[in-house]
């Protein structure tokens, strides 16, 4: 029983670290305007430049939300495994 609790605790810790890594990667996403990816120069018309920034923010938001979803799911799994490990560790042996 105690070995299983230890294994669950280690798995929970690993998933917790994975979650932290996903959230770190989420914080490192920077928006890039679409015109910077296509031609590399900002358009002369300000409205077109602004639309490029809006598209860049939307793409960054989508990438960030995908990583946040992975981080939240791995955090939920880590908490579940940790709770199960605690339950097994406190189970009476007698």
């Amino acid at each position: 029983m105690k070995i299983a609790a230890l294994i669950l605790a280690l798995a929970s810790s690993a998933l917790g670290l994975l979650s932290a890594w996903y959230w770190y990667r989420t914080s490192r996403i920077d928006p890039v305007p679409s015109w910077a990816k296509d031609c590399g120069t900002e358009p002369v018309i300000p409205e077109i430049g602004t639309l490029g920034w809006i598209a860049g923010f939307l793409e960054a938001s989508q990438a960030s939300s995908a990583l946040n979803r992975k981080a939240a799911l791995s955090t939920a799994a880590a908490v579940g495994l940790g709770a199960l490990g605690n339950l097994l560790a406190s189970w009476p042996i007698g």
Side-chain angles (χ1 to χ4, degrees), residues 15-92:
L15 282 172
L17 289 174
L18 179 67
S19 301
W21 182 70
Y22 279 135
W23 266 309
Y24 172 75
R25 283 185 50 205
T26 298
S27 71
R28 305 302 302 165
I29 294 175
D30 293 325
V32 177
S34 61
W35 46 262
K37 288 186 268 183
D38 295 337
C39 64
T41 59
E42 187 170 2
V44 177
I45 302 170
E47 290 82 11
I48 295 175
T50 302
L51 288 175
W53 274 107
I54 291 171
F57 278 111
L58 289 174
E59 289 175 7
S61 175
Q62 288 175 342
S64 176
S65 65
L67 286 173
N68 272 331
R69 182 179 189 277
K70 290 179 182 180
L73 289 174
S74 61
T75 299
V79 169
L81 288 178
L84 188 59
N86 285 336
L87 181 67
L88 285 178
S90 64
W91 198 269

